[in-house]
Amino acid sequence: MVGLSQKTVQNMLEMAMQIAQAEFAKPMCVCVCDPYGFLQGFARMDGAPVRSIAISQSKAYTAVRMGVHTHEFYARVQRDNVQVSYFADPQLTALPGGYVVRGESGEILGGIGVSALAPSEDQHITELVAEAVRKGEI
């Protein structure tokens, strides 16, 4: 399975932090995982809440393991009226802000998770970064 190069991961972390600072002026945590959900890169901006470390990792992990962005996973559990715990994986979360990172042909390269901002802001950052990877811009 093809994944993300370490250089791409570092560029993703940098881009996410730049967006958080430029658009929201707030610190956050960002995690990038490989196609299996294992940690590949992480950054915590100065002042970001400690709780957001694990949350960002769970968001990236969930996106890859479930094969959908976490806001779509959230919609599924709401629609089907099920608890996230029913999936028998304690690391899953339905919080928005986890995004599947795909290559140009749609293959899953990894996942990205952002935590500490509003859910829509977390999601916005992950969408922009994932799209930049898909287009080969970073």
Side-chain angles (χ1 to χ4, degrees), residues 26 35 39:
K26 297 178 191 171
L39 180 66

Side-chain angles (χ1 to χ4, degrees), residues 27 109 120 131:
L109 302 176
S120 63
E131 184 64 11

Side-chain angles (χ1 to χ4, degrees), residues 63-125:
V64 169
R65 289 296 181 109
M66 297 306 293
V68 296
H69 316 309
T70 55
H71 64 279
E72 293 172 354
F73 183 52
Y74 176 79
R76 177 183 175 190
V77 297
Q78 293 294 308
R79 180 186 65 243
D80 295 345
N81 195 30
V82 297
Q83 300 292 318
V84 174
S85 62
Y86 291 176
F87 293 89
D89 187 337
Q91 198 171 339
L92 294 178
T93 183
L95 290 171
Y99 223 78
V100 179
V101 178
R102 296 184 183 275
E104 290 182 41
S105 61
E107 73 279 15
I108 294 177
L109 302 176
I112 182 170
V114 167
S115 180
L117 308 175
S120 63
E121 295 168 344
D122 291 345
Q123 181 180 326
H124 172 72
I125 293 169

